[in-house]
Amino acid sequence: METNIPESTLTAEKHRLKMQRRKEVQDQRVAERNQTKGLIIVNTGNGKGKTTAALGMVLRSLGHGYRVAIIQFIKGAWEPAEKAVFSKWPEQLEFHALGEGFTWETQDRDRDIEKVQEAWNLALSFIQNPEFKLILLDEINVAMKLGYLPVEEVLAGLVQKPQDTHIILTGRGAPQALIEQADLVTEMSLVKHPFREQGIKAQPGIEF
């Protein structure tokens, strides 16, 4: 049985034996997990990094040669730098920013709902298309939280995806029903934020 002995107190030989045992356990775990499937992935929580983490998966998928679709809900009025970067993959990537800004900027609930529904209809066309390996629905959790898009409609749409397609849904306030249906859920926790603590505005390369 492995004990939690501080690494700094181990001799080189004891360290080698400990790592050998750890490798044997890890190899066994990997060998036992031999299934693959398209995942429903949720990045939520009040902390920063939900979209950024999802975009990392987008880059991985592009690196494998897969086709990817990104649909931005709510904050599509921004021109994020990643949009310019992803334009270098015109054959693999579809990027659609269909929101018109945050709700406190648009101040038009009916228009917001209309744009969210437009984004969801487009998202469904990608979800049902087996040519796309990964689909990122950015800030869709916020759209559901605000009541702009029924949770039941999204859950029904996710069921329509091909078996091997991965879908990432980002945004704070992910509904419990979505969390229960998802395969992978990560909650970003806010510990410190420069906007709150120091009054530092959003900066290029960090927020956009």
Side-chain angles (χ1 to χ4, degrees):
M1 182 175 178
E2 185 174 312
T3 57
N4 294 321
I5 301 174
E7 290 289 335
S8 59
T9 65
L10 295 177
T11 65
E13 178 61 16
K14 287 182 177 179
H15 172 77
R16 187 188 67 79
L17 292 173
K18 181 179 180 180
M19 292 303 105
Q20 181 180 338
R21 289 193 297 270
R22 182 174 294 176
K23 183 177 186 305
E24 290 170 355
V25 171
Q26 186 62 23
D27 287 348
Q28 182 178 350
R29 288 174 178 168
V30 171
E32 291 171 350
R33 290 155 176 80
N34 55 12
Q35 300 182 46
T36 60
K37 61 173 285 190
L39 302 177
I40 296 174
I41 301 167
V42 175
N43 292 349
T44 192
N46 293 329
K48 176 176 169 53
K50 296 177 285 294
T51 296
T52 303
L55 292 174
M57 293 186 184
V58 167
L59 281 174
R60 286 176 181 164
S61 293
L62 292 172
H64 282 287
Y66 299 144
R67 295 197 69 188
V68 178
I70 300 174
I71 299 91
Q72 285 193 323
F73 295 72
I74 306 297
K75 64 182 182 185
W78 286 29
E79 282 294 330
E82 56 263 22
K83 185 175 182 179
V85 172
F86 288 143
S87 67
K88 301 181 186 300
W89 284 273
E91 302 301 319
Q92 286 179 249
L93 179 70
E94 294 270 358
F95 193 119
H96 299 273
L98 295 179
E100 294 182 331
F102 295 102
T103 54
W104 59 84
E105 294 170 337
T106 62
Q107 301 178 18
D108 187 338
R109 178 181 172 85
D110 290 340
R111 177 69 176 174
D112 288 343
I113 293 173
E114 177 185 334
K115 297 303 292 185
V116 164
Q117 191 62 56
E118 180 184 343
W120 173 243
N121 290 339
L122 180 62
L124 264 181
S125 71
F126 289 117
I127 289 172
Q128 296 165 350
N129 188 339
E131 293 183 5
F132 287 84
K133 181 73 170 181
L134 177 70
I135 300 162
L136 168 55
L137 308 179
D138 189 38
E139 298 291 347
I140 191 173
N141 295 340
V142 176
M144 289 186 282
K145 179 182 178 182
L146 293 172
Y148 292 178
L149 186 61
V151 178
E152 297 76 16
E153 188 173 347
V154 174
L155 297 180
L158 295 177
V159 173
Q160 299 176 43
K161 77 177 187 65
Q163 183 175 357
D164 295 332
T165 299
H166 305 298
I167 302 178
I168 311 174
L169 304 93
T170 72
R172 63 181 62 195
Q176 186 60 36
L178 173 62
I179 290 174
E180 292 172 2
Q181 185 166 322
D183 301 290
L184 172 61
V185 180
T186 300
E187 183 171 2
M188 309 290 188
S189 298
L190 177 62
V191 178
K192 293 178 68 176
H193 198 295
F195 180 84
R196 287 187 175 187
E197 278 78 20
Q198 302 177 58
I200 296 175
K201 68 179 183 179
Q203 301 179 83
I206 304 299
E207 277 81 20
F208 60 92

